[in-house]
Structures are given as structure tokens and as C-alpha cells.
Amino acid sequence: MRRIRKYGEEILRKRSEEVKDINDNILKLIKSMKETLISVKGIGLSAVQVGILKRIFIAYNKENSDLITVINPEIIENKGEKIDLEGCLSFPEIYFSINRAEKVTIKGLNEKGKEIVIEGEEVMARCFQHEIDHLNGILIIDYASEEEKKFYKEKLDNLLKNKK
Ligand code: CO
């Protein structure tokens, strides 16, 4: 179980590095990310959110209870668009309305280093785009309107005030 970095912590704005070697440290990191994601009942978690700047994310598909690990993910196709409320473990109790592609296909590596291609729809499509944003230092607040930021001003200010 690892501490989840919150909005205001500088690391969340950094670009994560490509994983070149899936060694024991990387596998340990992935295991701890899975435990963390399950314990907080989240949908997605990127390595940067637990303080490690590596291009890795975990997604939990509630429909089939599948826990997906993607290393060095890339979007290779996207279709349609949809606006929906979106949260983030780094922004507790805050939801912004964000326009995302409705379907995405991503590719990357699994824990064994094998290339995988995954199609995501709805929640999973949103999750994949959100997690890949994290790996590039992009956060949900970057999509928020001024009204939304005003609405959550107190919560956002508290996060900045309490940053570690
Ligand atoms: Co997030």
C-alpha cells in the first residue's frame, strides 16, 4: 500500500519515463499499485500517483473484475466523443466534466513484456485517457471550467494547503 500523491504535489506535473526493463523493482511497484488501487476501490492508478515516474498504469474493470496493467501505454485509435464527470484519486471528492473519446484502443506491454492491444469503451476508455494524461503530467483540473474551479475552490485550496 503506497501513499497516493495529491493535487499540489509537484511530481504529478512531471513526465514519466518509459520502462526499458521490466525488472523486479518494476514488478514490485506494480504489485503495490494493485494493492493500493484495490484498497481505495479506485478505477485507475498511474505510477506517478504513488511517487514513481515510470510509464505504468493499472485499471480495474468493474464489469468483469479484471485488473489490467499497461506498461508504456500509447493510444493508437480513438472514436467519438463524450462529456462526463470524471474524478481522480489525486483530487478527492472533486469531479470535473471532461470531453473524452468514447472508445479508445491502446497498446503497451504487460508485466511479462509482451505487447498487448486493448480496446476500451465508456468508463475504461475514459480511464485509459485519464491515466495516459497522468504519465504526461496532465491532470483533470486542466480541463475544468472557471465555474467548476470556483465551485470546488475550498477543496482545491485545502489540497494545496495540505500538500506534502
Ligand atoms: Co487520476
Side-chain angles (χ1 to χ4, degrees):
M1 172 83 197
R2 291 178 176 245
R3 182 174 75 82
I4 296 176
R5 301 328 191 240
K6 301 281 163 56
Y7 174 57
E9 295 190 61
E10 262 169 51
I11 193 167
L12 292 176
R13 288 305 191 180
K14 300 210 166 119
R15 189 176 193 279
S16 296
E17 290 168 3
E18 200 178 312
V19 176
K20 296 215 171 80
D21 176 25
I22 304 170
N23 56 29
D24 281 353
N25 281 339
I26 295 289
L27 294 174
K28 266 186 216 157
L29 166 66
I30 291 169
K31 186 167 180 274
S32 69
M33 285 171 67
K34 286 180 182 172
E35 287 163 2
T36 306
L37 185 63
I38 290 166
S39 76
V40 299
K41 298 185 166 67
I43 299 170
L45 182 71
S46 57
V48 58
Q49 286 179 286
V50 296
I52 308 289
L53 288 165
K54 294 285 180 193
R55 301 187 80 79
I56 303 171
F57 77 76
I58 312 287
Y60 179 66
N61 187 339
K62 285 185 176 155
E63 273 176 30
N64 54 15
S65 304
D66 218 5
L67 204 49
I68 305 161
T69 304
V70 192
I71 301 167
N72 301 336
E74 266 176 71
I75 293 174
I76 52 174
E77 205 186 336
N78 51 44
K79 277 189 201 145
E81 40 188 295
K82 194 177 179 186
I83 298 173
D84 209 344
L85 282 181
E86 193 170 311
C88 177
L89 294 171
S90 299
F91 288 78
E93 296 166 35
I94 295 172
Y95 301 90
F96 295 124
S97 163
I98 302 180
N99 190 17
R100 299 276 193 193
E102 210 172 4
K103 278 188 189 178
V104 294
T105 307
I106 61 168
K107 69 165 191 180
L109 302 175
N110 68 11
E111 287 148 281
K112 290 173 184 148
K114 184 175 175 280
E115 189 171 292
I116 46 171
V117 173
I118 310 170
E119 264 180 61
E121 282 184 62
E122 296 178 34
V123 178
M124 279 298 107
R126 187 164 290 276
C127 171
F128 294 164
Q129 293 167 83
H130 177 118
E131 299 311 326
I132 291 171
D133 270 356
H134 271 301
L135 305 183
N136 295 321
I138 299 166
L139 299 172
I140 54 172
I141 195 166
D142 302 341
Y143 298 94
S145 68
E146 289 311 311
E147 282 101 335
E148 287 176 309
K149 283 187 231 179
K150 239 181 249 171
F151 181 80
Y152 285 114
K153 189 174 186 311
E154 209 183 314
K155 285 197 163 97
L156 291 165
D157 286 350
N158 279 334
L159 282 169
L160 294 177
K161 209 165 61 194
N162 298 325
K163 73 179 176 191
K164 297 232 163 64

